[in-house]
Amino acid sequence: MSKYKLVLLRHGEGTWNKENRFCSWVDQKLSEDGVKEAQDCGRLLKEQGYKFDLVFTSILSRSIQTAWLVLEAMDQEWVPVVKSWRLNERHYGALIGLNRAEMALQHGEEKMKLWRRSYDITPPLIDESHPYYLEIYNDRRYTTCDVPKENLPRAESLKEVLDRLLPFWHSTVVPEIQRGKTVLISAHGNSCRALLKHLEGVSDEDIANVTLPTGIPVQLELDENLKPLKPRQLLGDQAKIQAAIKKVEDQGKAKQAT
């Protein structure tokens, strides 16, 4: 018997997901398909009988918007939502805004896979000459963080995502789970992957092969020590989920962007 259930959710498709660009800390809304993904996810969770007590999101709109749409579809709009920059997407540094397929064509698919999926390789840092630097660091939301703005990352490996996520996990999320609350974390591909690595003990090498499609809830059943009792379960139509996983993996393939 599982003691706790936790649901992780990568936000619905964003406008830059659709364009196959590194979005990272640039604040983008959901695409039309992303809105539908979030609503479908909420309906699925309602059908499965989920009743959330608390939702955690990043401070990026696509994560927050997904949580709102999920709760609305579940008739649970009243459930509290707690936001933290520590659940933000991985900071892709100088790669932000670039098209993944074009980058794979230019630098090779292996280099792209290292930048996108490896555990401890940090992409080139963003600097003030970058076209999205001011849009990110002048955004008022980053004055609300628990670290000074000048100490926020300029690029991150997945390891660095986990390092900044774990203090929030241990101090804020874990106590709520241990109180018996049913928690949804509506975050991002890499913040969810980092948390899965921690919870499931995925190796540094194997985490490169963990792919989470947008809008697909991941159910974890945990024991009293918050260790998984069984493999993670991606909820929904399994054929559609496999097709969605392949779509994400193909984003890093070298093909001319259209």
Side-chain angles (χ1 to χ4, degrees):
M1 286 288 291
S2 63
K3 187 165 178 67
Y4 307 115
K5 276 188 181 178
L6 171 67
V7 176
L8 303 182
L9 176 62
R10 181 184 178 190
H11 61 77
E13 180 190 72
T15 50
W16 279 16
N17 291 128
K18 200 176 190 71
E19 296 172 17
N20 200 14
R21 297 166 72 188
F22 285 103
C23 188
S24 187
W25 283 29
V26 174
D27 196 53
Q28 294 282 317
K29 305 288 189 184
L30 297 180
S31 68
E32 283 186 25
D33 287 342
V35 169
K36 184 176 184 301
E37 285 175 352
Q39 292 168 332
D40 288 347
C41 174
R43 284 189 281 269
L44 173 67
L45 290 168
K46 184 179 181 180
E47 287 168 11
Q48 301 234 343
Y50 267 93
K51 292 180 173 60
F52 291 114
D53 300 303
L54 192 56
V55 179
F56 294 97
T57 74
S58 75
I59 58 172
L60 293 164
S61 296
R62 57 196 187 272
S63 161
I64 300 164
Q65 196 180 358
T66 296
W68 288 345
L69 290 165
V70 166
L71 291 174
E72 182 182 36
M74 298 178 77
D75 299 318
Q76 294 180 34
E77 295 97 328
W78 60 271
V79 172
V81 178
V82 177
K83 308 174 186 74
S84 173
W85 78 274
R86 292 182 179 274
L87 288 172
N88 269 22
E89 177 56 294
R90 176 182 170 191
H91 196 309
Y92 272 107
L95 304 183
I96 289 173
L98 299 176
N99 179 282
R100 296 181 184 92
E102 290 175 348
M103 292 291 289
L105 200 63
Q106 186 177 342
H107 297 282
E109 291 181 7
E110 282 306 308
K111 184 73 170 177
M112 272 298 295
K113 187 168 184 182
L114 282 175
W115 276 339
R116 287 183 71 209
R117 310 305 294 274
S118 65
Y119 181 56
D120 56 5
I121 293 178
T122 306
L125 302 185
I126 195 171
D127 62 29
E128 292 183 16
S129 68
H130 191 282
Y132 290 98
Y133 181 90
L134 291 179
E135 182 174 328
I136 294 170
Y137 294 102
N138 283 352
D139 192 319
R140 191 165 65 93
R141 78 191 69 207
Y142 292 109
T143 65
T144 69
C145 299
D146 57 357
V147 297
K149 195 187 291 188
E150 58 269 21
N151 292 345
L152 291 171
R154 297 297 188 262
E156 294 175 304
S157 63
L158 189 65
K159 180 180 185 301
E160 290 163 318
V161 174
L162 184 56
D163 287 345
R164 53 107 154 146
L165 189 157
L166 280 179
F168 180 74
W169 167 254
H170 288 303
S171 69
T172 307
V173 184
V174 167
E176 298 294 351
I177 294 173
Q178 290 177 330
R179 288 186 190 107
K181 292 188 177 178
T182 303
V183 167
L184 168 67
I185 297 179
S186 171
H188 303 265
N190 284 297
S191 44
C192 288
R193 287 174 67 235
L195 193 51
L196 282 175
K197 186 183 192 306
H198 170 70
L199 291 172
E200 298 183 331
V202 181
S203 72
D204 295 0
E205 294 74 27
D206 289 346
I207 194 63
N209 299 314
V210 174
T211 301
L212 299 178
T214 56
I216 302 294
V218 182
Q219 176 183 278
L220 294 170
E221 297 190 28
L222 308 172
D223 66 16
E224 63 274 9
N225 299 312
L226 300 187
K227 299 295 183 188
L229 288 163
K230 56 177 71 172
R232 75 186 89 99
Q233 186 180 358
L234 276 66
L235 303 178
D237 183 298
Q238 295 303 307
K240 287 181 180 176
I241 290 170
Q242 290 307 310
I245 288 173
K246 184 176 187 307
K247 182 181 175 183
V248 174
E249 291 173 345
D250 285 350
Q251 286 175 338
K253 298 286 178 66
K255 56 181 181 287
Q256 297 288 350
T258 55

